[in-house]
Amino acid sequence: VPDGLIRTEIFNDWFSLVVPADDELDGTVDLSTLADRAFIASPPTSCGRCVTMACREAGFEPDLRHQVDDYPATLRLVAGGAGTALVPELGLVAPPPGIKVLDLEVPVRRTVGLTHRESSAGRPAIQAVVDITRKVVEDLGLDLV
């Protein structure tokens, strides 16, 4: 975080493997076994970087066949057989039919937070946004930090 900014971590967003419903994979999956698969991922934003880093740590460079910055579209592409995807919990709130969501043997996560100017730290609106964001995350059952 650059000088002059404050980051408040809110929750851990855990990734799952998403494959077409008729895929032979089941249960908990070792990411290293997916080196020959086409992947659908976000562009190199925080989520896209998480996917690439997780695959590299598993010993392979992912074949990023499609880069999509929209989880509903990503899930529809998976359902249509265009590839597999690592999708965070937040992207799986309303999964469509035609997909299977699997756990990863080695968990992958991103930490989601809010960032604001240090000079605004005392403003009631800043604390209100942090509080309501935590409440929404709690209501969704996500992993609060």
Side-chain angles (χ1 to χ4, degrees), residues 11-13 18-19 31 34-35 37 57 61 63 65 74-75 107 109 119 130 136 139 143:
F11 70 101
N12 291 314
D13 201 8
V18 181
V19 297
L31 190 56
L34 305 175
R37 294 213 177 196
E57 287 176 14
E61 191 68 28
D63 175 7
R65 196 72 52 91
T74 295
L75 297 175
R109 73 171 167 86
S119 61
V130 170
V136 168
D139 290 349
D143 183 18

Side-chain angles (χ1 to χ4, degrees), residues 5-108:
L5 296 178
I6 296 173
R7 176 172 168 81
T8 303
E9 293 184 347
I10 303 293
F11 70 101
N12 291 314
D13 201 8
W14 297 93
F15 285 74
S16 295
L17 176 66
V18 181
V19 297
D22 62 354
D23 194 286
E24 72 276 358
L25 290 174
D26 206 13
T28 302
V29 177
D30 181 348
L31 190 56
S32 69
T33 64
L34 305 175
D36 62 341
R37 294 213 177 196
F39 277 81
I40 303 162
S42 297
T45 59
S46 63
C47 281
R49 282 193 308 267
C50 283
V51 170
T52 299
M53 288 172 50
C55 291
R56 287 177 180 164
E57 287 176 14
F60 68 97
E61 191 68 28
D63 175 7
L64 298 176
R65 196 72 52 91
H66 305 282
Q67 290 190 327
V68 180
D69 201 13
D70 179 77
Y71 286 114
T74 295
L75 297 175
R76 287 191 301 275
L77 282 168
V78 171
T84 59
L86 296 180
V87 177
E89 285 178 285
L90 210 53
L92 293 168
V93 173
I99 64 167
K100 187 173 6 176
V101 179
L102 304 170
D103 291 329
L104 294 168
E105 197 170 284
V106 177
V108 175

Side-chain angles (χ1 to χ4, degrees), residues 125-143:
I126 297 296
Q127 191 58 49
V129 169
V130 170
D131 292 344
I132 194 67
T133 302
R134 286 186 192 277
K135 174 75 170 106
V136 168
V137 167
E138 185 176 349
D139 290 349
L140 288 172
L142 300 173
D143 183 18

Side-chain angles (χ1 to χ4, degrees), residues 117-128:
R117 288 187 301 250
E118 190 172 8
S119 61
S120 299
R123 297 179 68 187
I126 297 296
Q127 191 58 49

